[in-house]
């Protein structure tokens, strides 16, 4: 019988962060116009980090706006997502960048 392991790491705030197994990574341009991933995410959790500050939207057909979720540059965040969703990005400043989206599975 296989046993599922649960491993957590303690963050600065003391909240637990689940340990994850990294999956495939896709990239997305963070430019002057909203751009979305071509395919649905296909997983329940993603790790997202960007080379520039940007705004993100998560939905079946997302469009990122300046009112969308803000992601600072070079800060990785983890989100629980619907596998059918896509992610859209829009740069927050004047410089284009790249958003790296990695599927994250449980240990």
């Amino acid at each position: 019988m296989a046993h599922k392991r649960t491993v957590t790491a303690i963050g600065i705030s003391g909240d637990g962060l689940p340990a994850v197994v990294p999956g495939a990574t896709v990239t997305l341009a963070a430019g002057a116009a909203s751009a979305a991933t071509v395919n649905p995410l296909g997983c329940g959790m993603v790790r997202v980090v960007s080379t520039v500050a940007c705004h993100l939207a998560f939905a079946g057909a997302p469009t990122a706006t300046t009112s969308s979720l803000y992601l600072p540059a070079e800060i990785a965040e983890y989100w629980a997502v619907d596998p059918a969703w896509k992610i859209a990005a829009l740069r927050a400043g004047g410089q284009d960048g790249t958003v790296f989206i990695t599927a994250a599975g449980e240990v």
Side-chain angles (χ1 to χ4, degrees):
M1 171 190 230
H3 295 283
K4 183 176 179 182
R5 295 184 296 153
T6 301
V7 181
T8 59
I10 302 301
I12 293 172
S13 68
D15 295 335
L17 176 67
V20 296
V21 177
T25 298
V26 296
T27 59
L28 180 61
S34 178
T37 52
V38 174
N39 298 311
L41 298 170
C43 60
M45 180 184 290
V46 291
R47 175 185 182 268
V48 182
V49 65
S50 178
T51 59
V52 296
C54 62
H55 297 277
L56 301 175
F58 300 79
T63 300
T65 69
T66 56
S67 297
S68 298
L69 179 73
Y70 177 79
L71 178 69
E74 305 295 338
I75 302 292
E77 293 280 0
Y78 291 81
W79 282 288
V81 294
D82 184 308
W85 286 353
K86 297 178 182 181
I87 296 180
L90 174 71
R91 70 180 189 206
Q95 183 178 357
D96 290 351
T98 303
V99 179
F100 296 88
I101 304 160
T102 303
E106 290 186 40
V107 172

